[in-house]
Amino acid sequence: MQKLSISLRQAGALVAGTLLLLSLVVLPVQADVKIQEVRSEKGVTAWLVEDYTVPIVTTRFVFQGGSSQDPVGKEGLANLMSGLFDEGAGDLDSNAFQEKLDDVGAEMRFSSTRDGIYGTVRVLAEDKDAAFDLLRLAIEKPRFDQGPVDRIRSQLLTGIDAAERDPNDQARKQWARAVYGEHPYARPDEGTKESLAGLSTDDLHAFHDSQFARDGLYVAVVGAIDAETLKRDLDRLFGNLPEKQKSVPVARVQPKLDQQLKVAYDLPQTSIQMAFPGLERTEPDFFAAVLMNEILGGGTFTSRLFKEVREKRGLAYSVGSMLSNRRYSETLGISTATRSDRAAETVEVIRSVIRQMAQEGPTEAELEAARKYLIGAYAINNLNSSGAIASTLVELQVTGLGKDYIERRPALLEAVTVADVKKVAAKLLSGEPAVMLVGPDVEKVPAE
Amino acid sequence: MRSDPNRLRSALLALSLGIFSSTAFADTPEKKEWAVSHFTLENGMEVVVIPDGRAPITTHMVWYKVGSADEPPGKSGIAHFFEHLMFKGTSNHKAGEFDHAIAEIGGNNNAFTSYDYTAYFETVPSDALESMMGYEADRMRNLVLNDEVVATERDVVLEERRSRIDNDPSALLDEEVSATLWQNQPYRIPVIGWMQEMEELNRKDAREFYDRYYTPNNAVLVVASDLDAETVKAMAERTYGKIERGPDLPARVRPVEPEQNTKRTVTLTDERVSVPSLSSQWVVPSYNTAKPGEAEALDLLSEILGGGLRSRLYQELVVKQGIAASAGASYNGTMLDATSFTVYGTPRGEATLEQVEQAINKQIERIAKDGVTDDELEKAKKRFVRATIFARDRQISMANMYGSALATGATVQDLQEWPDRIGKVTAEEVRAAAVRYLQPSISTTGYLLPTMKAGN
């Protein structure tokens, strides 16, 4: 419902680099974020960045699990539950809870992903205690009253209805099934009409009890609050939760690549997606893969894909590649959309960019430029607001990278050589990817 | 049209004249630290410096006071297309060099075009600011264009149109609704342009546009930085200050609307749609065209009527009656000319679109008849002022607020006094705004409908 009609030069607003020799002698911004690890008496830990410049406190946390923990037949449970935490808790019903939240002036949001249930609260420092009281209630004693449950469920059902004839949405679902097979990642995390209809308040309470426990919890707090105060607050917020999650085990999954999906639909554009293998964050080649992806299509304005597909040939508005690291699987994905009569040409251009990278790797100059970009951009992209800092700190905890990761990261990138990138490019890009085309006459488009 | 109400609220605040003001925080110690500086270079370029001492990072934006509503007839899309061409290289720096220079230091850059302005920005380590100013000043004057880059980039913006508009039934409908709501004013033409006119845009059009509008005296420089205003000023003088002033541009007088006096509807039926939705719009004044206090009253009216989970539309239609999956309202006051006020809704369950429409109209009638409560009004005011403090947490949010306001006729003082003016709005003024502007008999309504399947 945005009325603004702003047209960006490129959605995504990222830039990658190739080499140059400019008179610019500028050092990257030192990621000067002082992270304190705070541990409460009851053993709840959080990473804290104390900053009093703007009088606000931002808190972000995750309970690991997410929609991958939805029981079979109860798809959509994590998603439904995350829509209900501001709909009544403790002795406050939905209306009373939201009224208090509004009076306090706190923004409180919950959301679920495949791998976690996230919460974020932002509040003026002077109202922090009142906001934390409400947050504690939401975390500890959500009510899941029938009225709000039915309402949020029926809003979600409307969303599912609305997506039913959207070709791109249907294609996304087919893609997930084709790539992940029987794994929970293949199931619709928003649920289905049937599964949502069957979810009860008992299901919600049971799911909450099993997931909201301290061992799957990671917390980050940024803003006008000191460590001693936070220590007490952590126990108030999370201290009464059970110690251990009761989660079902989720297997790691190798995405099924080397297949083609063609969804024929009369649309103004054909969208093209490809998936190649990715790498776990803990693998020694991971940073080489990060640099390779950056050169290939990670930024936008100067990557190889951007140059070949958009800049030279005007085939697409947006094109890029992305490393996706989920908890149990990883891929390197490429996506774009082009006018349908040029879809075959676009596929061929992307394939030739991939082939060249797989066979020859990057140039020294490309590697150096990508490295400089990735080192310099970290603070600007990941630490540019309280919310961004809190998100980054939670993800660092989830991925186990350590409190000193931000300091170590430049050296990890510096250590990568052209040979390393070439090796990882050959490893990831030599095989046949999964390819999906959605658009008119896609049967006739050669995707290989 | 099925926005999460929370998200909608923040989008709305970002679009409204949300700002911080020293007066709003007169009692807080950070007042001085957040004092905005404002001055004009000798060549007429306006400069705003917003202090942000948290990190050695600077957001540098140049706002040109030209947007799609300033385009010549038949050349729709030229403002946005030209924005793309500004990245094509100059007589001093070949294409891509500026992008590379920014990437080299890990910076971000991009640009955007709207009805009333076009803006270019970089977020970079602060010690690169003068270099950014150098590049930006260079391309204000020395751009090089040839037919080949123009043709390739035109293909890119045509793909952009297909991606953003033609691929999305609700975007197509929005475009048609705007073309119907506005009878005379150029806001009826989409920012990205009409396809058949975009296809014909050429190097000559681009050159004329550039020569006319890209001058220091038609630009506003906004810098949010840990550097002090004196330092920024000296840098600006050494870079932008060297550019000669362009000819004075005539005042931006555009065709204005005739009196709105009919009810219009626009219907789009598309087989990709399975749940219907509607939005109704009215022509209303913007901050720049309103009488004192009226735009502020419209901001508060949209917040109370449909600004989020506590709004009347959400509470009545979604929570109490249970007939809507979503319902809300929005008002974008940051426009040079008259703007629009929008209400929208989507039915849920067995409810029909007609029921949702009637229920929305009933809530508008209620406000027109009985007004809003003091409690509602106070809470809405508090939400706005709070959002201005939250906005200080992101450099680019602050820079955007100043840039968009100054490009649409506001002054720095207007922005700083805004919380006070919001504070003074009375319940009666909010009611009066509803009575005056939200008349069901003169609205323009868009219906997005599923294709009926045989047998249904």
Side-chain angles (χ1 to χ4, degrees), chain A residues 427-445:
Chain A
K427 180 172 160 188
L428 300 183
L429 302 177
S430 295
E432 187 52 28
V435 181
M436 180 170 70
L437 303 176
V438 185
D441 293 328
V442 284
E443 303 86 352
K444 295 179 207 153
V445 179

Side-chain angles (χ1 to χ4, degrees), chain A residues 1-30 51 53-56 58 86-87 94-95 98-99 102-109 122-124 127 150-152 154-155 158-168 265-269 301-302 307 310-317 337-339 342 368-369 372-381 384-387, chain B residues 1-3 6-11 15 30 33-34 52 54 56-57 80 83-84 87-88 96-97 99-115 117 121 123-128 131-132 135 152-153 155-156 159-160 162-164 166-167 174 178 182 191-192 271-275 279 281 309-310 314-315 318-319 324-326 330 332 340 342 344 346-349 379 382-383 386 389-390 392-395 450-451 453 456:
Chain A
M1 202 59 236
Q2 267 240 17
K3 188 71 199 54
L4 191 60
S5 296
I6 268 179
S7 224
L8 277 177
R9 177 180 169 223
Q10 166 87 30
L14 279 183
V15 192
T18 21
L19 161 79
L20 33 222
L21 4 114
L22 289 165
S23 50
L24 253 182
V25 188
V26 174
L27 295 171
V29 175
Q30 292 308 306
D51 175 30
T53 320
V54 181
I56 63 180
T58 301
D86 59 353
E87 292 281 353
S94 164
N95 190 52
Q98 289 185 359
E99 197 170 330
D102 190 35
D103 285 343
V104 170
E107 291 178 353
M108 185 184 292
R109 275 162 208 176
R122 186 161 71 151
V123 66
L124 298 185
D127 299 323
D150 289 343
R151 169 162 46 83
I152 299 294
S154 91
Q155 286 176 285
T158 302
I160 289 173
D161 273 341
E164 206 150 60
R165 286 186 223 155
D166 177 340
N168 286 311
Y265 206 102
D266 187 20
L267 295 167
Q269 276 188 324
F301 295 159
T302 53
K307 271 194 270 187
R310 173 169 154 162
E311 201 100 305
K312 280 194 196 159
R313 297 178 180 82
L315 287 166
Y317 172 55
T338 186
R339 57 189 248 220
R342 295 183 81 180
E368 197 46 36
K372 281 186 176 171
Y373 172 70
L374 286 169
I375 291 172
Y378 193 80
I380 289 175
N381 291 335
N384 66 7
S385 68
S386 305
Chain B
M1 285 210 256
R2 289 180 292 107
S3 307
N6 280 314
R7 227 171 281 144
L8 184 77
R9 183 191 299 165
S10 40
L15 295 178
E30 70 271 11
E33 201 179 325
W34 286 91
D52 177 11
R54 291 175 299 170
I57 293 174
H80 168 253
E83 172 221 309
H84 280 239
F87 292 82
K88 293 299 179 193
E97 209 178 302
D99 285 340
H100 291 313
I102 294 161
E104 175 95 332
I105 51 175
N108 273 335
N109 67 327
N110 216 320
F112 52 84
T113 307
S114 190
Y115 296 104
Y117 46 73
F121 66 90
T123 299
V124 293
S126 297
D127 43 10
S131 158
M132 295 297 116
Y135 278 106
T152 310
E153 198 62 28
D155 280 347
V156 171
E159 288 311 316
E160 183 177 356
R162 290 187 187 99
S163 290
R164 288 178 183 279
D166 303 313
N167 252 351
D174 283 349
S178 291
W182 301 107
V191 172
I192 196 157
E271 61 180 303
R272 285 169 284 178
V273 174
S274 38
V275 173
S279 74
Q281 299 193 22
L309 294 179
R310 302 306 296 166
Y314 192 87
Q315 284 296 316
V318 179
V319 178
S326 68
S330 70
N332 173 19
S340 63
T342 306
Y344 62 89
T346 304
R348 105 176 183 238
K379 284 182 173 172
K382 263 173 69 181
R383 270 178 237 140
R386 196 161 53 223
I389 304 178
F390 286 158
R392 284 167 42 187
D393 194 31
R394 273 193 82 212
Q395 239 179 33
T451 311
K453 277 197 237 160
N456 264 5

